[in-house]
Amino acid sequence: EPEVTQTPSHQVTQMGQEVILRCVPISNHLYFYWYRQILGQKVEFLVSFYNNEISEKSEIFDDQFSVERPDGSNFTLKIRSTKLEDSAMYFCASLEIYGYTFGSGTRLTVV
Amino acid sequence: GIQVEQSPPDLILQEGANSTLRCNFSDSVNNLQWFHQNPWGQLINLFYIPSGTKQNGRLSATTVATERYSLLYISSSQTTDSGVYFCAALTQGGSEKLVFGKGTKLTVNP
């Protein structure tokens, strides 16, 4: 069964540093997403990406965040200057007619 | 925007017991998914169910779209069923984003 692959599984970074979270979505899916889950809370939508551009973004997705699909397979989320409150599990997902498939997540810890 | 409410927030069962988890949503949705988040944080897709009933082993789900709710049934629960169960509504129009409920934390004791 096709999978969404995320790397790394866990990343620790110092406050103010840039991080790039990587994802390989399912290739024939059309919509790609990033979601975030702060520990113990619900999963929240960050951004959707369709046809090589952002189709919708949430209030959380401010100027510190950016997404790219640089080579037609990888899908990245960049946080330019991390803050303590960016510590969370970040999920990549892709969508087709049978529903969403989520990656296993990247746990980001900002210290 | 759409609101998704889940109940109960916490549920403790003895192994072998049955349970029903509920999800209410405030507006019409394109679809409804149930997920199990395991202790490692992974979101496992259980059902993609816009309406009707589906079954997969000991789990089944029913969505009544006209009344804006969905139910997840777990029969003969096992300790490995422990974790958090989320329902998420796929919004109409726009980018097909998911709006999650706060989840039901299930603990199955041996």
Side-chain angles (χ1 to χ4, degrees):
Chain A
E1 189 171 325
E3 288 184 342
V4 175
T5 305
Q6 288 187 245
T7 55
S9 58
H10 192 181
Q11 181 153 0
V12 180
T13 189
Q14 289 202 325
M15 194 169 53
Q17 295 296 304
E18 175 184 284
V19 294
I20 298 176
L21 310 183
R22 302 180 190 280
C23 170
V24 180
I26 298 172
S27 59
N28 60 348
H29 289 190
L30 297 180
Y31 275 101
F32 309 114
Y33 301 83
W34 285 98
Y35 287 79
R36 180 182 83 173
Q37 184 184 32
I38 293 172
L39 186 64
Q41 298 187 21
K42 66 179 180 180
V43 180
E44 300 174 291
F45 168 76
L46 287 179
V47 65
S48 58
F49 195 82
Y50 173 74
N51 203 23
N52 288 322
E53 62 182 24
I54 290 174
S55 57
E56 186 175 350
K57 57 185 180 180
S58 73
E59 292 176 354
I60 303 167
F61 195 89
D62 61 20
D63 291 343
Q64 293 299 310
F65 291 88
S66 62
V67 289
E68 273 192 333
R69 195 153 188 248
D71 56 11
S73 61
N74 292 290
F75 180 48
T76 62
L77 174 69
K78 182 192 291 186
I79 309 174
R80 287 189 184 81
S81 178
T82 49
K83 303 188 274 286
L84 294 176
E85 54 263 38
D86 293 327
S87 295
M89 181 78 101
Y90 289 81
F91 292 103
C92 174
S94 61
L95 174 67
E96 47 98 36
I97 59 169
Y98 298 110
Y100 269 74
T101 301
F102 278 81
S104 55
T106 293
R107 188 172 299 280
L108 176 66
T109 304
V110 183
V111 296
Chain B
I2 190 170
Q3 304 295 316
V4 178
E5 302 287 337
Q6 290 187 245
S7 60
D10 294 279
L11 186 58
I12 300 174
L13 301 174
Q14 285 300 120
E15 202 167 24
N18 302 326
S19 62
T20 301
L21 282 57
R22 187 175 180 102
C23 174
N24 294 329
F25 40 97
S26 62
D27 205 346
S28 299
V29 297
N30 278 347
N31 218 314
L32 197 290
Q33 275 188 265
W34 283 96
F35 296 91
H36 175 216
Q37 187 166 42
N38 63 23
W40 296 272
Q42 296 173 320
L43 285 170
I44 310 300
N45 180 39
L46 297 177
F47 294 103
Y48 183 69
I49 182 165
S51 63
T53 298
K54 291 185 179 179
Q55 180 149 10
N56 185 2
R58 296 181 296 103
L59 302 182
S60 64
T62 295
T63 296
V64 184
T66 53
E67 297 186 24
R68 298 180 185 168
Y69 73 88
S70 184
L71 302 174
L72 177 70
Y73 306 97
I74 304 173
S75 63
S76 303
S77 57
Q78 299 175 358
T79 55
T80 51
D81 295 331
S82 296
V84 183
Y85 290 81
F86 289 103
C87 76
L90 192 65
T91 56
Q92 290 190 337
S95 60
E96 309 282 315
K97 69 183 181 190
L98 281 176
V99 176
F100 281 77
K102 291 184 178 180
T104 292
K105 183 178 179 181
L106 175 65
T107 303
V108 181
N109 292 321

